[in-house]
Amino acid sequence: MTHASAYRDPAVAAKLLARIRVTAARAGRTITLMEVCGTHTMAIHEYGLRGLLPAGIRLVSGPGCPVCVSPIDYVDQALALCRLPGTIITTFGDMMRVPGSQTSLLEEKARGADIRIVYSALDAVNLARHSPERQVVFLGVGFETTAPTVAGAILQAQQAKLDNFSVLCAHKTMPVPMQTLSADPDLQVDGYLCPAHVSAIIGADAYTELTTRYHVPCVVTGFEPLDILQGVDMLVTQIAAGIATVENQYRRYVKNAGNPRAQQLLARVFEPCDARWRGLGLIAGSGLRIRDAYSSFDADQRFRVTVAPAVEPADCRCGEILKGKLDPRECHLFGQRCTPATPVGACMVSSEGTCAAEYKYGV
């Protein structure tokens, strides 16, 4: 049996599902579990896991897609920067089609703006090194998973004494927004499948306050089908027993204390700040800003551009979907005006977006 197939064994899945069914019945009520990771969302849809679980378990998707939670005014600022003479905008591919108030990066590229897809922030640093006559701006979007790589890129740019590289920073952090969701009386999340990639950096212990303050069980979970089913089993077992603690299903990659070197890199270049999330609004201490010591690499400080007030797309329900309050198919734009080819909201754009997952794999 290969490594991958070891986590996709149908016989093991059947045993887990049987145990989940029995345990969920003991709870005597509908159990709502939220996955807080876009990769989990895609895996759950791809393998049809929602359809396998008993009716008493409800899986909802949370704000785990960094592209989706980036607010429209950030996109508008990036669009304003791309119009500056001599500027190259570099970005991960998912950001290209995210709608701003009036247009998108993809549309601006078609009109002649120099916007390039890169695979890492270091690609943008190398581009700046070889294009000294141009200003290269990297769109820093992502959680603790990608933020250390951006921090490393800023340090490399400093070491190379580049004065034409900067980052438009929109990095956000977990688990602060999970606390915001837990405090929402209209949502009532019973347990979290915690993001694995993020947890590899911040560690499983980072969710302790969620379990103690809000009494919500948390399980750090991998991405294979059996990982997710085992995570659900662990959560349902806690809920049925009336306990709330942090468990680490993904021990083969995630440590309780996380990755100290990555954490040190983050702390060296970034500092916590208040951040605006699409759908969730302003959340105190949930973002990262570039420290003053590295302000010369902060595109927000370097370039003063005028950005009109953001305009939310009419009738888009992306915000409610990101909070797990609405299923994509409950939005009347879904599959009609809003498709992957013609997205109205960011949830339909990203490869980790809830609407994109439902469109691709939903029945």
Side-chain angles (χ1 to χ4, degrees):
M1 184 177 292
T2 66
H3 176 76
S5 62
Y7 298 100
R8 302 178 185 182
D9 188 329
V12 178
K15 290 179 182 178
L16 281 170
L17 287 165
R19 190 162 65 203
I20 290 169
R21 197 168 289 112
V22 171
T23 309
R26 283 209 312 269
R29 61 181 177 86
T30 298
I31 295 172
T32 299
L33 306 179
M34 174 178 282
E35 82 271 2
V36 194
C37 178
T39 309
H40 278 147
T41 297
M42 293 303 290
I44 287 168
H45 279 78
E46 179 179 1
Y47 298 114
L49 299 184
R50 282 182 175 170
L52 295 177
L53 291 169
I57 295 181
R58 175 173 170 257
L59 287 185
V60 297
S61 302
C65 165
V67 170
C68 302
V69 299
S70 297
I72 290 180
D73 55 6
Y74 174 81
V75 180
D76 289 344
Q77 187 176 7
L79 290 165
L81 289 175
C82 84
R83 300 184 187 110
L84 295 178
T87 301
I88 302 173
I89 300 295
T90 56
T91 179
F92 296 136
D94 277 4
M95 285 296 295
M96 290 293 289
R97 293 185 297 113
V98 176
S101 294
Q102 303 296 333
T103 181
S104 69
L105 291 170
L106 187 63
E107 291 174 273
E108 290 302 307
K109 181 177 176 65
R111 294 186 180 109
D114 196 343
I115 303 170
R116 309 186 192 186
I117 294 175
V118 294
Y119 295 98
S120 74
L122 289 177
D123 288 345
V125 172
N126 289 331
L127 178 61
R129 185 181 287 114
H130 292 99
S131 308
E133 76 288 355
R134 308 283 298 278
Q135 286 291 331
V136 176
V137 179
F138 177 75
L139 303 186
V141 172
F143 300 127
E144 293 96 335
T145 313
T146 55
T149 66
V150 177
I154 289 174
L155 293 176
Q156 285 218 5
Q158 182 189 53
Q159 186 177 16
K161 298 181 179 179
L162 296 177
D163 61 1
N164 65 328
F165 171 79
S166 59
V167 175
L168 186 62
C169 186
H171 288 295
K172 294 176 172 58
T173 60
M174 295 287 179
V176 177
M178 296 166 67
Q179 297 177 20
T180 300
L181 293 171
S182 299
D184 188 336
D186 296 329
L187 187 56
Q188 296 183 336
V189 174
D190 295 302
Y192 289 106
L193 294 167
C194 298
H197 291 145
V198 165
S199 301
I201 304 297
I202 66 175
D205 289 345
Y207 305 99
T208 301
E209 186 175 354
L210 267 170
T211 61
T212 55
R213 184 176 178 181
Y214 297 99
H215 200 70
V216 180
C218 293
V219 176
V220 177
T221 310
F223 301 110
E224 294 289 347
L226 294 187
D227 286 330
I228 297 171
L229 289 178
Q230 187 175 23
V232 170
D233 179 42
M234 294 163 77
L235 283 174
V236 171
T237 299
Q238 286 195 52
I239 293 164
I243 62 175
T245 187
V246 180
E247 292 187 274
N248 185 4
Q249 183 276 336
Y250 207 38
R251 290 189 301 273
R252 61 187 186 273
Y253 289 116
V254 175
K255 309 301 180 186
N256 286 347
N259 185 326
R261 292 185 65 181
Q263 293 169 18
Q264 290 165 9
L265 192 59
L266 282 174
R268 179 178 174 181
V269 177
F270 297 110
E271 62 185 3
C273 67
D274 300 344
R276 191 169 300 281
W277 295 59
R278 188 189 299 255
L280 279 73
L282 186 69
I283 303 178
S286 66
L288 295 173
R289 66 177 293 272
I290 298 171
R291 290 185 179 274
D292 290 342
Y294 303 97
S295 60
S296 61
F297 301 101
D298 187 343
D300 187 48
Q301 298 293 322
R302 178 178 289 187
F303 306 102
R304 297 298 183 179
V305 291
T306 301
V307 181
V311 179
E312 296 286 342
D315 299 327
C316 177
R317 311 294 294 275
C318 189
E320 294 161 278
I321 290 168
L322 285 168
K323 289 186 285 189
K325 292 185 175 182
L326 201 70
D327 184 82
R329 292 182 181 274
E330 293 179 273
C331 174
H332 73 273
L333 300 181
F334 179 85
Q336 303 299 319
R337 277 207 300 128
C338 187
T339 69
T342 58
V344 176
C347 296
M348 185 61 87
V349 177
S350 173
S351 59
E352 296 184 344
T354 305
C355 294
E358 179 65 25
Y359 189 93
K360 183 175 182 179
Y361 296 111
V363 178

